[in-house]
Amino acid sequence: MSEFDLDYIADRRKELRLSPSEMAEKLGFSNASVYWKYEHGVYKFKADVLPRLADALQCGIGRFYA
């Protein structure tokens, strides 16, 4: 089983110069604090969020797995 690559998500967000607030808005989260918890593994990204995450980070969903 592949592991979800949170480091890639954080690095890609920074590479695209997106703030946690912008990511929260793109993913439909209430605020940057909620997004931060997902990016740092406190919460797990659910399957229905992955297409929006891929769009925001301009990559394929498969890239999220190491």
Side-chain angles (χ1 to χ4, degrees), residues 32-50:
S33 175
V34 173
Y35 174 76
W36 184 92
K37 289 177 183 178
Y38 280 95
E39 190 175 275
H40 288 84
V42 176
Y43 301 152
K44 292 186 180 200
F45 284 103
K46 295 185 174 137
D48 64 329
V49 174
L50 296 183

Side-chain angles (χ1 to χ4, degrees), residues 11 21 52 56-57:
D11 291 344
S21 293
R52 290 188 307 245
L57 297 178

Side-chain angles (χ1 to χ4, degrees), residues 51-65:
R52 290 188 307 245
L53 183 62
D55 285 344
L57 297 178
Q58 302 171 11
C59 67
I61 292 172
R63 188 57 190 91
F64 300 144
Y65 297 91

Side-chain angles (χ1 to χ4, degrees), residues 3 14 19 25-26 56-57 60:
E3 190 170 322
K14 292 171 190 170
S19 70
E25 185 177 326
K26 289 176 181 287
L57 297 178

